[in-house]
Amino acid sequence: MSLLEELDLTGNRALGDAGMEVLQVGLSSVPHLAVLCLQYVSTTAVGMSSLAPYMRHLVGLRELDISGNEIGDTGLESLTTVLHTFTAMQVLVLSSTGIIPTRMSTLVPALCKLTRLIKLDISYNAIGDPGLECLAAILHHLTAMKVLVLHHTGISDRGISSLIKALPHLVQLQVLNVSFNNIGDSGIVSLVQTLCQPSSLDMEQNPPGDKSLTTAPHYNTTLQELHIGWNRGITGAGLGRVAQLISTLPALTRLDMSGYSWFTPAHLSDTAAMDLAEALPRLPALEQLDLWHISMEPAGFQAVVQAAEEHPTLERLM
């Protein structure tokens, strides 16, 4: 099948490393392959090492998903030897592949070459703050990025501060997921404040000093999904501050600002809950709002529920 453009072997757990040895022979016959999905096929560093050299000629590869395979350090190193050749790559999913902080320094130089990348998913890898700092340092090369998925990566305020510095370069960012980490109030609030600032592109088109334009405030009209919930250090005070900020993100379709623990829910004061209720009408595209592990007083809760009921597009309130 020399014209084959997409091959998806997801979920065939019996393949394993032996299956990758068979697959490597076939890859030489499909030069037009654009999408290769190998999620949860039980391959390890051995399989990745044998497969990687045979991927080198797939210069038109646009999407690669090897999530759910514990390829570890050695497997990642093998992948990075060919990754830089995929200059057409748009989607790279490395979720749950056993990447550790020190290996991010191996991955990052290869990522620099993927300037067309629009989605990067490295979730469920314990890269920690050092790993995120390493990634953030090269994000200015990846200005086409629209989706960045970093949940379950062990990052805290220290790591998120490096991401915050890089965010102005991601002028097309539509989805950001930093949930299920160790970020606290300071990191989350600083992140949202940065996201709420207009992109440099917006500022060029609508300079603040241009009196010929309307005096309406500038908004971030790009971001569509923001996942900041389930962070170990988040409190009701931090989420209350987020509630005051989010109305400057009018393109949001999904917002997750959940608390961390069922046993110690983040408490939203009536003031914070009212701020959230007042923000909802200013998010005209919102379809889902996640508020797991939150506690509210009756008055605040009723205000949020009423605002949700009256919202024209909101379909799910969790």
Side-chain angles (χ1 to χ4, degrees):
M1 295 185 288
S2 61
L3 298 180
L4 191 69
E5 295 181 0
E6 181 172 345
L7 178 61
D8 188 343
L9 296 172
T10 295
N12 288 282
R13 294 181 182 271
L15 285 176
D17 294 333
M20 297 305 101
E21 291 184 11
V22 177
L23 179 62
Q24 70 187 30
V25 180
L27 287 183
S28 61
S29 304
V30 286
H32 301 289
L33 199 67
V35 178
L36 179 59
C37 294
L38 298 172
Q39 296 181 51
Y40 297 99
V41 294
S42 301
T43 192
T44 68
V46 174
M48 197 71 246
S49 299
S50 65
L51 188 64
Y54 293 86
M55 297 171 61
R56 192 179 297 274
H57 71 285
L58 301 177
V59 293
L61 199 64
R62 296 194 311 271
E63 180 174 337
L64 177 63
D65 187 341
I66 57 170
S67 57
N69 297 292
E70 282 292 321
I71 65 170
D73 287 358
T74 309
L76 181 65
E77 192 169 356
S78 300
L79 177 63
T80 53
T81 61
V82 298
L83 197 60
H84 67 277
T85 64
F86 306 137
T87 54
M89 183 78 73
Q90 296 181 345
V91 176
L92 180 59
V93 183
L94 301 173
S95 176
S96 190
T97 50
I99 302 174
I100 60 175
T102 53
R103 276 302 162 200
M104 286 299 289
S105 59
T106 305
L107 177 63
V108 157
L111 287 178
C112 283
K113 309 293 184 183
L114 309 184
T115 56
R116 298 184 185 180
L117 202 63
I118 61 174
K119 177 179 178 179
L120 177 62
D121 183 346
I122 53 176
S123 58
Y124 290 100
N125 288 292
I127 65 169
D129 292 332
L132 181 55
E133 288 169 348
C134 198
L135 174 63
I138 59 98
L139 285 179
H140 62 280
H141 293 291
L142 306 179
T143 55
M145 186 84 70
K146 294 183 178 179
V147 179
L148 183 56
V149 184
L150 298 167
H151 64 80
H152 290 94
T153 51
I155 57 179
S156 69
D157 285 355
R158 174 188 145 192
I160 213 70
S161 66
S162 64
L163 177 63
I164 289 169
K165 293 173 185 174
L167 280 177
H169 298 289
L170 304 183
V171 295
Q172 300 186 57
L173 193 64
Q174 296 177 1
V175 177
L176 178 61
N177 191 332
V178 295
S179 57
F180 293 93
N181 283 301
N182 303 316
I183 311 168
D185 288 346
S186 175
I188 289 296
V189 172
S190 296
L191 176 68
V192 175
Q193 284 176 327
T194 304
L195 289 168
C196 288
Q197 294 170 359
S199 71
S200 56
L201 184 63
D202 288 338
M203 294 298 284
E204 288 172 13
Q205 293 173 345
N206 302 291
D210 190 343
K211 301 301 182 183
S212 65
L213 300 170
T214 61
T215 56
H218 293 279
Y219 294 122
N220 179 327
T221 56
T222 307
L223 196 67
Q224 297 176 12
E225 290 190 24
L226 179 58
H227 303 258
I228 55 174
W230 308 85
N231 272 287
R232 191 181 297 268
I234 200 76
T235 70
L239 293 177
R241 182 70 183 117
V242 169
Q244 295 175 334
L245 295 167
I246 55 172
S247 58
T248 53
L249 300 171
L252 281 183
T253 59
R254 181 169 181 184
L255 173 63
D256 182 351
M257 46 187 290
S258 300
Y260 173 71
S261 169
W262 173 272
F263 300 102
T264 54
H267 183 73
L268 289 186
S269 66
D270 278 347
T271 302
M274 298 295 181
D275 286 338
L276 177 58
E278 290 176 10
L280 290 184
R282 300 175 193 147
L283 302 174
L286 196 65
E287 297 173 359
Q288 179 164 335
L289 175 62
D290 290 355
L291 296 172
W292 292 89
H293 300 169
I294 298 290
S295 64
M296 288 181 264
E297 301 298 335
F301 178 72
Q302 289 168 7
V304 171
V305 171
Q306 182 176 347
E309 287 177 340
E310 294 173 355
H311 197 283
T313 62
L314 191 65
E315 297 173 352
R316 301 188 73 190
L317 174 62
M318 308 297 285

